[in-house]
Amino acid sequence: MRKILGGIKMGVTTFKGGVHPYDGKELAMDKSIVDLRPEGLMVYPLSQHIGAPAKPLVQKGDRVLLGQKIAEANGFISAPVISSVSGTVKAIEKRLTVGGAMVESIVVDNDQQYESIPGFGEKRDYHNLSREEIVSIVRDAGIVGLGGAGFPTFVKLSPKEIDKIDLFLVNGAECEPYLTSDYRDMMEMPEKLIGGLQVVLSIFPNAKGKICIEDNKPEAIKLLTEKVKGMDNIEVVALRTRYPQGGERQLIYAASGRKINSSMLPADAGVVVDNVDTVVAIYEAVCESKPLVRKILTVTGDAVASPGNFRVPLGTNYQQVISAAGGFSEEPEKVISGGPMMGMPLFVLDIPVTKNSSSILAFKKDPVAEEATTPCINCGRCVTACPENLMPTLMMVASLQKNTERFEKLYGMECIECGCCSYVCPAKRPLTQGFKQMKRKVNAEKRAKAVKAQGGK
């Protein structure tokens, strides 16, 4: 299929399955990013990434600076934590996080001075850096996947066979409804995005870059297409608007035709994928000597007084971010951290912004709470919608029976927990929730078997 986007004729690609929920992006997509300067205590959880929690480098009473590493990576799959303000360490204690867990955290009293470490913000030419030096900078900057997964970025940039990577995809789909922070990134910082992509491509000598954007963002497609004119190693790819187009497997298939599954890494297919803001963060770390100390959040929904996009120092309290958007126009029935399809419902707002925060949504009504679950009518809508071509009807039976063996035989571990099946189900069955529980149960059983095989150690 070919489509005219902002005067540019280009192919539009997608994947099989998926859904088309109301996207709600008009509430905030035209709102420029606003810098937020928080007050009071900043909370830095030591586990805000996939892998081992970071190890504290400071103690109570220490003064810290903006850009200072306050916790170091504690293993290969781990990431350091950097202070986003200057101030005094008040405590190292467990604090509540988005997922409801109490996580060991460093608490810093923000002194509002924003005194930074020496060299913070200094310009640097990546052409003068070796591949190893660039990867080391990204690692020490604490950069992880900022699209929500939180996987340490330097690991992605360190595959076993670098020469076999021939494609680097920038994920600009932003397919979750209501979220617009990546769109604003592309519109306001295209040079940083393209610069970060050029930095990454210098690591992979055989790779070309593709900036992948859904076609409901024609202005971003037009702008970036103009910006990359004359660059033979970068192109912009328009993707058909369809959720979950931004899922890693779906993006890879739509942009390249290559398929991966849960037993593979993208690198196994010669691909590396990073979110738009992650690539911008790479540029800032490598070319501007700025470690990851901020997150761009969308604050929106019909219960938010002034929806917008905010550049927020990591560790900021959610309540302060909501206040920056004018607070609530009326008491919301539902508040979500992240998108409405894959986000986490919030019951308290006294939690910190972390590297894997993406948005705060607030709605006057919670229609899901009013929906009654009824028996499956075998309509097959979930099967049609599943982007992984699974059988959610049969998987749900296995889930209800707690039959992990049957669940695995139905390829239940391939579920990406996107929520498409639950969204289209006329019986309003909690399909995705059931599959999440079963995947955890399967993994727990495998860990128990591994421990038993090692003699219970």
Side-chain angles (χ1 to χ4, degrees):
M1 176 182 176
R2 301 194 72 81
K3 190 172 182 177
I4 304 296
L5 294 166
I8 300 169
K9 188 176 182 181
M10 57 201 314
V12 182
T13 60
T14 190
F15 60 97
K16 182 180 179 181
V19 294
H20 295 86
Y22 164 65
D23 70 13
K25 294 183 184 291
E26 74 281 357
L27 294 173
M29 69 184 305
D30 294 326
K31 304 293 182 64
S32 298
I33 299 169
V34 175
D35 286 299
L36 178 60
R37 285 290 182 101
E39 299 177 352
L41 297 180
M42 309 291 286
V43 177
Y44 303 97
L46 298 177
S47 183
Q48 46 184 302
H49 51 265
I50 291 175
K55 182 180 178 181
L57 293 172
V58 294
Q59 56 188 356
K60 184 178 179 180
D62 287 353
R63 185 166 190 271
V64 299
L65 303 177
L66 166 62
Q68 179 179 333
K69 186 186 295 186
I70 56 177
E72 62 182 348
N74 193 19
F76 182 66
I77 308 297
S78 185
V81 177
I82 315 294
S83 179
S84 59
V85 298
S86 57
T88 304
V89 177
K90 302 297 290 185
I92 299 178
E93 61 189 20
K94 291 187 180 296
R95 286 294 187 108
L96 185 67
T97 56
V98 166
M102 297 294 289
V103 175
E104 195 76 8
S105 306
I106 298 173
V107 182
V108 174
D109 189 3
N110 181 5
D111 64 11
Q112 296 288 298
Q113 299 301 309
Y114 292 92
E115 183 182 351
S116 62
I117 60 173
F120 183 88
E122 287 184 359
K123 301 297 183 182
R124 183 162 46 193
D125 186 350
Y126 76 91
H127 292 97
N128 299 327
L129 301 172
S130 68
R131 174 191 301 166
E132 292 74 20
E133 287 173 324
I134 291 173
V135 173
S136 178
I137 289 169
V138 171
R139 180 191 63 219
D140 292 341
I143 300 174
V144 303
L146 299 179
F151 190 82
T153 299
F154 85 92
V155 179
K156 284 188 176 184
L157 302 183
S158 309
K160 292 180 180 179
E161 299 176 287
I162 286 179
D163 291 341
K164 289 189 176 180
I165 302 299
D166 63 2
L167 188 59
F168 188 97
L169 301 181
V170 179
N171 187 350
E174 197 164 43
C175 62
E176 271 274 9
Y178 291 92
L179 275 62
T180 59
S181 57
D182 281 348
Y183 174 72
R184 294 313 310 173
D185 244 349
M186 291 186 281
M187 294 301 295
E188 297 181 39
M189 293 175 280
E191 290 82 8
K192 285 190 177 184
L193 172 60
I194 295 167
L197 180 52
Q198 291 286 22
V199 170
V200 169
L201 292 177
S202 73
I203 297 174
F204 302 109
N206 300 323
K208 289 194 173 183
K210 291 186 178 183
I211 303 173
C212 306
I213 311 172
E214 281 194 328
D215 60 5
N216 62 351
K217 307 173 187 67
E219 292 303 316
I221 292 172
K222 180 181 178 181
L223 175 64
L224 286 165
T225 299
E226 292 173 350
K227 293 287 186 181
V228 302
K229 277 183 180 178
M231 299 181 185
D232 58 6
N233 62 341
I234 298 178
E235 66 175 303
V236 175
V237 177
L239 305 174
R240 193 179 306 171
T241 301
R242 177 179 294 177
Y243 177 85
Q245 185 70 264
E248 194 169 63
R249 299 180 201 173
Q250 285 67 45
L251 189 79
I252 290 172
Y253 179 76
S256 70
R258 304 175 193 178
K259 296 181 179 180
I260 64 170
N261 56 42
S262 63
S263 66
M264 300 171 63
L265 294 172
D268 296 329
V271 184
V272 176
V273 183
D274 263 322
N275 162 268
V276 162
D277 199 31
T278 308
V279 178
V280 171
I282 290 172
Y283 176 86
E284 292 176 340
V286 175
C287 301
E288 296 182 343
S289 305
K290 293 179 181 178
L292 181 61
V293 294
R294 90 301 180 275
K295 193 68 171 42
I296 300 175
L297 300 183
T298 303
V299 185
T300 187
D302 62 5
V304 174
S306 300
N309 302 284
F310 300 87
R311 186 179 289 105
V312 183
L314 294 172
T316 302
N317 191 280
Y318 266 45
Q319 185 63 68
Q320 290 198 47
V321 184
I322 293 169
S323 296
F328 298 132
S329 57
E330 66 177 69
E331 192 64 26
E333 281 192 5
K334 191 162 195 173
V335 181
I336 301 171
S337 179
M341 299 297 287
M342 296 185 72
M344 300 286 292
L346 296 178
F347 300 98
V348 295
L349 298 174
D350 186 18
I351 50 177
V353 172
T354 61
K355 298 176 185 181
N356 42 22
S357 300
S358 59
S359 69
I360 305 173
L361 311 183
F363 301 105
K364 296 177 181 178
K365 300 294 181 183
D366 180 7
V368 177
E370 300 172 0
E371 294 172 344
T373 300
T374 59
C376 174
I377 60 174
N378 293 312
C379 65
R381 292 183 190 178
C382 58
V383 177
T384 302
C386 180
E388 290 296 311
N389 300 312
L390 303 177
M391 296 289 289
T393 47
L394 300 180
M395 289 161 55
M396 191 60 179
V397 173
S399 298
L400 292 171
Q401 296 173 345
K402 307 295 183 186
N403 189 335
T404 53
E405 183 178 353
R406 175 64 173 159
F407 184 79
E408 286 194 85
K409 286 183 178 180
L410 290 167
Y411 300 100
M413 298 305 286
E414 296 298 322
C415 172
I416 59 173
E417 302 174 16
C418 64
C420 287
C421 54
S422 298
Y423 179 79
V424 300
C425 179
K428 309 303 178 186
R429 295 172 67 76
L431 300 167
T432 307
Q433 294 88 334
F435 304 153
K436 285 182 180 180
Q437 292 175 0
M438 282 300 285
K439 289 175 68 177
R440 286 197 292 267
K441 184 175 176 61
V442 169
N443 287 327
E445 289 181 357
K446 287 181 177 179
R447 287 193 296 269
K449 287 180 181 178
V451 170
K452 186 176 181 180
Q454 295 174 4
K457 296 183 180 179

